[in-house]
């Protein structure tokens, strides 16, 4: 029983426990090239949240991890079989209800640990911050916490070398042989401004990738996954410590 994982702990422990920071991991359930499981983002969220919380707990941080929300925003993948979409307005409703509980019970710090590129909590946090002025709400994309180029050869953002390496380390029994994987080639928009990233439109996933992947996974190894996992969870663990200790009424220099 890990006391910092809510789903594993009990009322006997929680009733009198001090809780400074709540972590809400948020995933997605979607195709990940041919070789990775639909639950890839959920598995990553579960493991990264738990290990980061362990790191923080051992440094004295009073942190609690909620169960991972398994569905994310998949509006760009409406025609990809069994990619389950949660609309942003549904996410907003879920988030409001969770924050309502924390706010009522005087637990004022929440971090959303996001595991899926289609999830975007910024505008929700702005609106919920107005509604719950005592709360400090933040979100973290763990996949942006480190410079991936220092760990992996090939760039990508979906079922790429990074995600494949992580899954090879975390859940090897759910990863097919790399010979089964597609090359994850992404077709770019003809209008150049989109590649320059100062104009944005949602990608129509079935048109930009033949295998649903974006990023060549074939140089993945479990050793790379292990090294990256340790570095990411150390960094996020330290963030959890900083947030747990922070005085939310005195955040600025
Ligand atoms: Zn993913």
């Amino acid at each position: 029983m890990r006391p910092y994982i809510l789903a594993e702990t009990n009322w006997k422990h929680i009733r009198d426990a001090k809780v400074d920071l709540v972590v809400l991991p948020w995933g997605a359930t979607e195709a990940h090239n041919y070789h990775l499981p639909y639950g890839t983002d959920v598995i990553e969220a579960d493991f990264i949240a738990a290990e980061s919380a362990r790191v923080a707990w051992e440094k004295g941080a009073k942190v609690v991890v909620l169960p991972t929300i398994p569905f994310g925003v998949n509006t760009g993948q409406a025609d990809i079989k069994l990619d389950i979409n949660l609309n942003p307005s549904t996410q907003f409703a879920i988030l409001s209800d969770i924050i309502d509980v924390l706010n009522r019970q005087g637990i004022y710090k929440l971090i959303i640990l996001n595991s899926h590129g289609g999830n975007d909590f910024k505008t929700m946090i702005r609106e919920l911050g107005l509604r719950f002025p005592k709360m400090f709400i933040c979100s973290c994309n763990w996949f942006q916490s480190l410079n991936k180029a220092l760990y992996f050869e090939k760039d990508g953002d979906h079922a790429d070398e990074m995600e494949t390496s992580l899954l090879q380390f975390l859940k090897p029994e759910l990863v097919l042989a790399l010979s089964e994987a597609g090359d994850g080639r992404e077709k770019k928009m003809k209008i150049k401004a989109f590649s320059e990233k100062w104009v944005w439109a949602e990608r129509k996933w079935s048109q930009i990738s033949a295998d649903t992947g974006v990023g060549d996974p074939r140089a993945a190894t479990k050793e790379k996954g292990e090294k990256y996992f340790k570095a990411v969870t150390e960094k996020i663990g330290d963030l959890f410590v900083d947030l747990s200790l922070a005085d939310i009424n005195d955040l600025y220099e």
Side-chain angles (χ1 to χ4, degrees), residues 12-66:
K12 193 172 175 96
H13 167 72
I14 288 293
R15 189 183 49 192
D16 303 314
K18 183 170 184 281
V19 180
D20 284 328
L21 175 68
V22 169
V23 179
L24 176 63
W26 208 308
T29 298
E30 55 174 346
H32 270 75
N33 199 323
Y34 296 121
H35 64 293
L36 293 181
Y38 269 62
T40 291
D41 292 0
V42 175
I43 293 165
E44 292 162 346
D46 281 346
F47 276 92
I48 290 169
E51 178 59 13
S52 304
R54 186 193 65 77
V55 167
W57 184 267
E58 287 183 1
K59 292 179 178 175
K62 300 303 174 201
V63 48
V64 169
V65 179
L66 304 186

Side-chain angles (χ1 to χ4, degrees), residues 228-245:
Y228 180 71
F229 179 76
K230 291 211 164 111
V232 167
T233 51
E234 278 294 325
K235 188 163 185 182
I236 295 176
D238 285 343
L239 170 67
F240 289 174
V241 174
D242 288 343
L243 289 170
S244 299
L245 297 175

